[in-house]
């Protein structure tokens, strides 16, 4: 997407892998001003009991806001795009910030938003956020962290793979895990 003169356009995305919650966080964002990328960020947070995809999305959004404030761009016309329904709707006041691992960073973002005079936050489909998505995954690749993948088809009953999975399931049940 191209920006017009004196308009700032930003994109953000976050990911949690290989599990969500409690996985590693990938954070990606970039900012465009006068048709030029002026900021690009790929970040990482280690897995912990305080990580989730929503935390990652908010951290990416926060990086955009921090950059814009640091560069004293609060009075520019700004559009920020992300594929997180939660972030977009909460930051626009459509949804309340209730509870969750993301609450602390969400509240910081709300405070930052008060510093801007002309800012719009819009939801876009994941397909239109591919560059921010790539940036959010850079550190996973650098660190050899596998992304969450959709499960394969269930193995056929009677196959050795099926029997092994069934063995593991029963073993966990027996051991009380």
């Amino acid at each position: 997407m191209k920006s017009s003169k004196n308009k700032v356009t930003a994109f953000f995305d976050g990911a949690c892998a290989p599990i969500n919650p409690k996985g590693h966080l990938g954070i990606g964002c970039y900012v465009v001003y006068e048709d030029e990328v002026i900021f690009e960020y790929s970040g990482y947070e280690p897995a912990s009991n305080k990580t989730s995809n929503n935390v990652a999305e908010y951290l990416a959004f926060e990086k955009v806001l921090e950059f814009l404030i640091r560069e004293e761009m609060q009075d520019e016309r700004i559009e920020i795009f992300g594929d997180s329904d939660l972030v977009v709707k909460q930051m626009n006041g459509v949804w309340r910030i209730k509870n969750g691992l993301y609450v602390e960073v969400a509240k910081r973002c709300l405070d930052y938003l008060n510093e801007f005079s002309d800012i719009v936050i819009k939801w876009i489909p994941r397909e239109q956020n591919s560059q921010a998505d790539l940036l959010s995954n850079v550190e996973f690749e650098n660190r050899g962290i596998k992304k969450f993948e959709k499960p394969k088809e269930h193995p056929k009953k009677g196959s050795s793979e099926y029997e092994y999975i069934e063995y593991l399931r029963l073993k966990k049940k027996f051991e009380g895990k």
Side-chain angles (χ1 to χ4, degrees):
M1 175 177 253
K2 291 186 174 186
S3 67
S4 60
K5 191 170 181 163
N6 297 324
K7 180 173 134 190
V8 178
T9 307
F11 295 82
F12 70 93
D13 198 18
C16 187
I19 58 171
N20 179 43
K22 300 181 183 178
H24 302 272
L25 300 185
I27 302 154
C29 58
Y30 65 102
V31 178
V32 178
Y33 183 71
E34 295 182 352
D35 297 325
E36 182 182 336
V37 175
I38 59 170
F39 177 69
E40 192 173 77
Y41 180 82
S42 291
Y44 168 82
E45 294 286 329
S48 78
N49 62 357
K50 295 182 178 184
T51 59
S52 73
N53 63 321
N54 292 329
V55 172
E57 294 280 3
Y58 263 114
L59 287 172
F61 180 69
E62 183 179 45
K63 284 291 178 196
V64 169
L65 298 176
E66 289 173 341
F67 170 78
L68 295 171
I69 291 168
R70 189 172 55 251
E71 296 299 313
E72 300 180 351
M73 300 180 88
Q74 299 96 312
D75 291 324
E76 299 289 339
R77 201 172 92 216
I78 300 166
E79 286 185 324
I80 302 177
F81 297 91
D83 58 33
S84 169
D85 236 8
L86 182 79
V87 172
V88 172
K89 288 184 176 172
Q90 285 181 336
M91 294 297 100
N92 283 311
V94 176
W95 291 352
R96 288 182 296 128
I97 297 172
K98 296 179 188 174
N99 53 20
L101 300 170
Y102 64 87
V103 169
E104 186 179 314
V105 67
K107 288 182 178 179
R108 284 196 313 261
C109 289
L110 275 179
D111 288 341
Y112 285 142
L113 285 178
N114 290 326
E115 298 189 32
F116 293 88
S117 61
D118 186 6
I119 192 166
V120 177
I121 304 148
K122 295 181 179 179
W123 180 86
I124 55 173
R126 180 171 292 165
E127 302 79 47
Q128 293 177 21
N129 204 26
S130 58
Q131 183 62 29
D133 179 65
L134 285 171
L135 291 168
S136 74
N137 287 291
V138 166
E139 289 301 319
F140 291 157
E141 291 175 28
N142 289 344
R143 296 164 192 269
I145 298 167
K146 298 221 186 274
K147 286 271 298 170
F148 175 79
E149 295 177 7
K150 291 182 181 177
K152 300 181 210 172
E153 283 185 33
H154 292 292
K156 291 192 173 26
K157 201 170 195 173
S159 71
S160 58
E161 188 177 10
Y162 177 88
E163 297 302 324
Y164 182 67
I165 291 170
E166 190 64 14
Y167 161 76
L168 292 175
R169 186 183 67 77
L170 292 172
K171 182 180 175 193
K172 282 183 184 178
K173 184 177 179 181
F174 178 75
E175 292 173 349
K177 292 183 180 175

